[in-house]
Amino acid sequence: MPLQQHPHYAEALRHIGCDIRVLHLPGAEPVQTIRRFGLTCAMRGPIWHGAPDRQGAAALRRSGLRLINSDGDDRATLRAAGFVQAHTPAYVAELSLDGSPDTRRARMTGKWRNALRRAENAPFRIQKERYSKTRHQWLLAEDARQQRAKGFRSLPHAVLDAFAAVQPESASVFVARSGKDPIAAMLFLTHGMVATYHLGWTSPTGRACASHNAILTHACNQFAHDGIVRLDLGSVDTVNAPGLARFKIGTGANIRPLGGTWVRLPWL
C-alpha cells in the first residue's frame, strides 16, 4: 500500500501530535485518516480489495470522511457515496523491482541507460546510511534551499524525523561522495514491501556525472535484495517539473493515474 496508508506513517504522525484514526470499511484495507481543520481526510485511500461494491459505498457515506485523495479506480463508488471531484488526478511513477539488475536495466530508456553508464565510470562512490537528523542536517539544509529556489513544498522535515524516530531502520540515505565531499544524495522510506522516494539533492558536479542515475540504480538493487518489490518515485508533473518527470519516466517505471481529490459536503 502507499506510504500514506501504512501503519508506520500513522505512527510517525501520531508521534508529532496529529489526530490519526482508523476507519474500517467492508471490502477495503483499514483506512488511515487525519483530522485537520475540523475535517476528516484520507490520503491515498481507501485501498479496496478488488472493485468496491454498494455496501462499501454505503459505509463510506456514513463514515464521516469529508475529503479523499483517492489512490484510483473508485470514482463510481465515491460518487455513489456523495463525493464530488474537486481536483483531477495526478500521476505517480511506480518502479517494479522484480527480476535481476539486468532485467531492470533493460526497462530503462536508452538515454537514461547511457547516463547511467557515464555515472558508473565517474570517480565517486555510493554509500548507504541510516538516516540521522544530526548526521544528515546538511541534506535537510540543501533540500530546504532548493525548495525555496524552485518554489515547491514537500512533506515537512518534522514528519521525516518522526518516521525515523519510530522506524529507525526504515529511513535510508544513499550518498554519492567524491573523496570526502557529498555530491548527491537520495533519501528513501521503506514500509512493508514498498520503498518510497522522499527527497533528493545534487550538486553541479553530481549533475554533470549523472550521479542520481547511479544512486537510484544502486538503491533499487539494494532494496530488491532486501525483499522490496516496488519503489514509489512519487508524482510525475510534466508541466511544472518536466526534467524530474523525464528522469522518473526514464527508469522504466509504470506511470499510473491516481483518483483525484474528492470532497463530500454534509448535506449531500
Side-chain angles (χ1 to χ4, degrees):
M1 61 180 66
L3 173 66
Q4 295 87 343
Q5 284 298 314
H6 197 276
H8 291 177
Y9 188 71
E11 189 180 2
L13 293 182
R14 289 192 183 100
H15 189 74
I16 56 175
C18 295
D19 185 359
I20 305 297
R21 304 177 187 183
V22 178
L23 172 67
H24 296 277
L25 298 175
E29 290 290 323
V31 185
Q32 295 180 168
T33 70
I34 183 170
R35 182 82 173 170
R36 298 185 65 187
F37 309 115
L39 298 176
T40 303
C41 314
M43 311 306 291
R44 296 287 298 271
I47 306 298
W48 301 96
H49 303 153
D53 56 19
R54 292 182 180 180
Q55 186 181 8
L60 189 57
R61 178 183 286 273
R62 298 189 301 267
S63 69
L65 272 171
R66 292 289 177 256
L67 187 148
I68 291 177
N69 180 253
S70 169
D71 195 63
D73 296 329
D74 56 358
R75 295 182 182 182
T77 300
L78 292 172
R79 289 193 183 99
F83 285 83
V84 177
Q85 189 169 14
H87 292 287
T88 56
Y91 285 77
V92 66
E94 297 175 332
L95 182 59
S96 172
L97 300 183
D98 66 340
S100 67
D102 288 341
T103 300
R104 291 190 291 274
R105 186 178 290 244
R107 299 190 192 115
M108 303 169 184
T109 63
K111 187 174 182 179
W112 209 98
R113 195 161 46 243
N114 290 338
L116 174 59
R117 292 194 190 99
R118 186 170 79 251
E120 289 172 335
N121 292 319
F124 64 82
R125 69 188 189 283
I126 299 172
Q127 295 175 310
K128 179 186 178 183
E129 303 169 356
R130 182 192 294 182
Y131 170 75
S132 163
K133 179 179 179 180
T134 302
R135 182 180 184 183
H136 296 106
Q137 185 59 44
W138 63 270
L139 179 57
L140 301 184
E142 293 290 356
D143 180 59
R145 190 176 296 115
Q146 68 183 1
Q147 287 191 46
R148 291 192 298 269
K150 297 179 181 180
F152 72 93
R153 295 181 64 185
S154 63
L155 201 64
H157 292 161
V159 177
L160 166 62
D161 292 336
F163 191 94
V166 299
Q167 294 292 331
E169 300 288 342
S170 298
S172 302
V173 183
F174 290 79
V175 185
R177 285 189 170 86
S178 178
K180 294 183 179 181
D181 299 324
I183 61 171
M186 301 181 83
L187 191 153
F188 301 87
L189 305 178
T190 56
H191 41 101
M193 298 176 71
V194 180
T196 293
Y197 165 73
H198 184 69
L199 63 86
W201 163 83
T202 184
S203 67
T205 299
R207 188 174 296 107
C209 60
S211 57
H212 268 179
N213 296 66
I215 291 175
L216 185 59
T217 302
H218 185 95
C220 286
N221 292 340
Q222 181 65 62
F223 288 140
H225 178 269
D226 294 341
I228 301 296
V229 301
R230 188 178 74 242
L231 174 59
D232 187 336
L233 289 170
S235 62
V236 175
D237 187 343
T238 58
V239 175
N240 298 306
L244 183 57
R246 286 193 296 270
F247 178 85
K248 294 178 180 181
I249 293 170
T251 65
N254 177 48
I255 309 303
R256 180 175 70 87
L258 299 178
T261 301
W262 297 73
V263 296
R264 183 174 185 273
L265 303 176
W267 54 84
L268 292 179

